[in-house]
């Protein structure tokens, strides 16, 4: 039996978390919802997460700060960033930090689905 991929959704906006949860489930994947980067960091086992969709700007730790912390872990899943801030500096920061994708809000769902499928097809880092 194949395992259903688990997508972590890290966004401080409840409506966005719920909408992404519905999307992820409609694609046949499981999701774990986190209202903050800190909540994600408290989650165990993080190694169960196959991919992440992360907001850049959140109260508390930002998505970029979360990325920096996770970059010290061997089994960090691919990270897809979403943001309302489309500036080149933010884009460069997340991509230079190893992000799989950088998408603007409102998110193009076709592009997000494509990114999720491509990220989940990558070999899992261990």
């Amino acid at each position: 039996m194949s395992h259903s991929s688990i997508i972590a959704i890290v966004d401080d906006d409840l409506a966005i978390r719920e909408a992404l949860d519905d999307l992820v489930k409609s694609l046949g994947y499981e999701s774990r919802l986190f209202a903050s980067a800190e909540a994600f960091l408290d989650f165990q086992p993080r190694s169960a997460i196959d991919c992440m969709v992360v907001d850049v700007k959140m109260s508390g730790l930002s998505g970029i700060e979360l990325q920096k912390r996770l970059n010290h872990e061997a089994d960090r899943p691919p990270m897809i960033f979403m943001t309302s801030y489309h500036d080149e500096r933010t884009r460069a920061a997340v991509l230079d930090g190893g992000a799989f994708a950088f998408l603007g809000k409102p998110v193009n769902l076709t592009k997000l689905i494509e990114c999720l499928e491509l990220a989940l097809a990558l070999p899992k880092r261990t």
Side-chain angles (χ1 to χ4, degrees):
M1 180 175 176
S2 69
H3 124 106
S4 179
S5 296
I6 301 172
I7 315 263
I9 299 166
V10 186
D11 197 306
D12 57 357
D13 184 317
L14 176 61
I16 290 176
R17 283 195 313 275
E18 290 176 344
L20 290 173
D21 183 44
D22 290 343
L23 174 68
V24 164
K25 288 177 179 174
S26 77
L27 297 171
Y29 305 126
E30 295 180 41
S31 62
R32 300 291 180 272
L33 307 180
F34 303 93
S36 68
E38 292 86 351
F40 179 79
L41 290 170
D42 288 341
F43 174 76
Q44 290 298 330
R46 287 199 306 267
S47 61
I49 301 298
D50 297 299
C51 184
M52 299 175 68
V53 178
V54 183
D55 189 16
V56 172
K57 298 269 187 180
M58 295 182 281
S59 54
L61 286 178
S62 72
I64 295 171
E65 291 167 322
L66 173 62
Q67 179 186 42
K68 287 177 183 173
R69 290 194 185 190
L70 294 179
N71 279 346
H72 296 288
E73 297 181 11
D75 60 355
R76 180 184 62 83
M79 298 178 80
I80 297 169
F81 279 87
M82 298 187 327
T83 186
S84 299
Y85 303 91
H86 300 256
D87 65 279
E88 187 54 37
R89 195 171 83 190
T90 302
R91 181 181 185 282
V94 299
L95 293 176
D96 289 349
F100 184 80
F102 179 82
L103 305 174
K105 289 181 182 177
V107 111
N108 175 319
L109 293 182
T110 302
K111 183 67 175 168
L112 176 57
I113 292 166
E114 177 185 315
C115 288
L116 285 169
E117 291 173 349
L118 290 170
L120 292 169
L122 295 172
K124 191 150 182 170
R125 295 166 58 173
T126 56

